Amino acid sequence: ALSWLRGSSKSSLALVFDIGSATVGVAIAKYKKGKPINVFFTHRVLINYGTDQSAKSLGGYVGTAIEKAATEALEQLGRLDVGSDYTVHAIVHAPWTDSQAQRAEGVLEEETLITRELLQQFTVRHLPEQKVEGRIQFDRHITRIELNGYSTTQPYKKKAKKIAVTILKSSMSDSVHASILNAFSSALPNHDVHIDAFLFAATQLRELFAGNDAYTIIDVGEEYTSLSIVRDETVAGSAWASFGTEYLIRAISKEDAEARQSAISQLTMYIDNTCTPAQCRDTETALEKPEKEWTRTFGDACTKLSKIHRMPTKTFVSVDKHYGPWFKRVIEKIDFGQFTVTGRPLEAQLLSIEKAARSFSFAESVKRDSMLSLGILFVDK
């Protein structure tokens, strides 16, 4: 957590990137204690995929989009009178990241005063970093500490004999990670980039989840959707489905890249119920096939996830607000009730920044990108 941002009375400027499965978004945000977060710029760049689907090539496609997004942000920053000293942060979504929780517990020889060093030694001994060939662990956080069987957020200077620690670790392909770092280094030289997985970032924004102890979080990207079970502030299990918002766009545009923008407009009108009856019928017909595909791929992911833990019925959905109502409806289908704790269909609620402890002030004409907004909030935690 970047406590220096939260605790400083001075203004802090940040470039915040959102690295999804089909786009890279970037925002320019300024933070000041006790004031709304000022958002001066948001922009998204499509990741142009080629035919080569090797990890190295995929990383190259993502890296190119990062450089384009960074260039746009720097050009805009040059036009703004907001300062030039900034930090760089990136939130990375599936399929680039794989996040897993691990828990270990142990009994000390005697009741001992808990210190930072003791917990570090315990974590290194019981939850060592393990290298997986071809992957790098870029994100590792302690998400839960239990002393004598009770969870605590302030463990230091307390005495305990029994300790349990849960960590959330995230990894990605070596080559994709290298491409991302190289892109940032090329576009933003002399700036370190703070990279976090979406799953960790989201679970730190606890106010968005209405104080629930257990819930399912669904992160709908452009090409992939991840499903995770969160219990007692840590991740109990994750799975993903090969389906996202671009599947809807392609169904309307009929795979015609030139028709993409008009397809987005048509979809938005349909979801907002502002289309003519004829337009609505055409769109509904076009979406029949992707809805069946969603049921299959999402159902497969639910099957995999429920083998680890039954899914909490309470579900929070992170998705581009334009497509939120469609995904809310198809997530709540009765088909998926068999995978939940209660046996009832999932109860979906769209994640909303309006429930955050911090408010936003968007500059005129700046697009309110919901996914970037989550990243902007996380940077201030």
Side-chain angles (χ1 to χ4, degrees):
L2 305 172
S3 57
W4 62 270
L5 269 176
R6 181 178 56 206
S8 174
S9 60
K10 297 179 181 179
S11 296
S12 301
L13 191 67
L15 299 189
V16 183
F17 290 80
D18 181 83
I19 303 174
S21 50
T23 66
V24 172
V26 63
I28 301 173
K30 199 165 192 176
Y31 305 84
K32 189 171 185 179
K33 187 177 180 181
K35 300 289 185 181
I37 302 171
N38 288 309
V39 183
F40 301 103
F41 175 74
T42 62
H43 180 69
R44 281 203 175 267
V45 172
L46 274 171
I47 300 173
N48 290 317
Y49 289 104
T51 55
D52 188 346
Q53 295 296 295
S54 66
K56 184 176 181 180
S57 294
L58 290 172
Y61 306 145
V62 176
T64 299
I66 289 172
E67 291 190 46
K68 288 182 179 178
T71 299
E72 292 280 353
L74 289 177
E75 289 178 356
Q76 182 64 22
L77 193 60
R79 302 185 193 104
L80 296 169
D81 184 21
V82 294
S84 57
D85 186 15
Y86 57 86
T87 56
V88 184
H89 312 269
I91 309 299
V92 187
H93 299 255
W96 315 119
T97 65
D98 175 33
S99 298
Q100 301 290 334
Q102 283 188 317
R103 181 180 183 275
E105 62 178 56
V107 179
L108 305 176
E109 292 183 3
E110 60 182 23
E111 192 172 61
T112 306
L113 192 70
I114 304 302
T115 63
R116 184 182 298 273
E117 291 72 27
L118 187 149
L119 281 180
Q120 286 176 337
Q121 292 168 8
F122 179 91
T123 303
V124 169
R125 184 167 64 251
H126 293 276
L127 295 165
E129 294 192 39
Q130 296 175 328
K131 173 68 177 174
V132 177
E133 188 175 352
R135 297 189 71 80
I136 186 168
Q137 187 173 292
F138 72 95
D139 207 9
R140 181 179 167 96
H141 302 279
I142 292 177
T143 56
R144 184 176 172 85
I145 297 171
E146 299 158 59
L147 303 180
N148 297 329
Y150 296 94
S151 177
T152 177
T153 57
Q154 298 179 328
Y156 305 128
K157 297 185 179 180
K158 293 180 181 178
K159 287 188 175 182
K161 188 171 183 180
K162 185 178 180 182
I163 301 176
V165 172
T166 303
I167 64 166
L168 181 66
K169 60 179 184 178
S170 302
S171 67
M172 68 170 72
S173 161
D174 281 329
S175 53
V176 172
H177 184 256
S179 294
I180 288 174
L181 290 185
N182 288 341
F184 278 117
S185 178
S186 175
L188 305 166
N190 305 317
H191 279 85
D192 291 332
V193 56
H194 305 275
I195 304 178
D196 285 286
F198 166 80
L199 197 50
F200 174 69
T203 53
Q204 299 311 294
L205 301 170
R206 297 187 182 103
E207 68 268 26
L208 301 186
F209 300 96
N212 286 274
D213 292 330
Y215 55 88
T216 302
I217 179 170
I218 298 176
D219 179 28
V220 181
E222 300 97 345
E223 297 287 352
Y224 291 86
T225 293
S226 66
L227 302 76
S228 302
I229 295 171
V230 179
R231 292 185 184 278
D232 297 323
E233 300 179 0
T234 193
V235 178
S238 295
W240 56 271
S242 179
F243 191 100
T245 56
E246 288 292 318
Y247 281 61
L248 306 184
I249 296 170
R250 286 195 290 268
I252 302 300
S253 66
K254 296 179 173 56
E255 306 285 344
D256 181 359
E258 299 296 322
R260 185 175 186 277
Q261 208 52 50
S262 61
I264 292 173
S265 299
Q266 185 177 336
L267 263 174
T268 301
M269 288 192 295
Y270 172 74
I271 293 171
D272 290 345
N273 198 27
T274 56
C275 51
T276 66
Q279 288 173 329
C280 284
R281 283 193 298 272
D282 288 344
T283 306
E284 192 166 0
T285 300
L287 293 179
E288 286 177 357
K289 184 178 179 180
E291 185 166 339
K292 289 178 181 177
E293 188 171 354
W294 166 264
T295 301
R296 178 181 59 80
T297 57
F298 186 74
D300 288 346
C302 290
T303 300
K304 180 180 177 181
L305 192 55
S306 64
K307 288 179 180 177
I308 306 170
H309 288 286
R310 303 288 288 182
M311 297 167 64
T313 307
K314 190 68 177 179
T315 302
F316 293 89
V317 186
S318 172
V319 63
D320 185 313
K321 64 180 181 180
H322 292 107
Y323 313 108
W326 190 89
F327 279 95
K328 182 179 187 303
R329 179 179 65 80
V330 295
I331 285 169
E332 291 182 327
K333 290 185 68 169
I334 195 169
D335 308 55
F336 309 126
Q338 60 184 303
F339 305 113
T340 68
V341 172
T342 62
R344 297 196 301 269
L346 296 166
E347 298 173 4
Q349 181 177 325
L350 301 178
L351 277 184
S352 171
I353 60 172
E354 278 70 31
K355 295 187 177 180
R358 288 292 300 272
S359 59
F360 287 82
S361 175
F362 287 87
E364 189 176 353
S365 78
V366 171
K367 181 181 178 182
R368 301 194 176 205
D369 187 309
S370 53
M371 304 304 290
L372 273 170
S373 296
L374 290 173
I376 292 167
L377 280 174
F378 169 72
V379 168
D380 197 35
K381 295 297 284 184

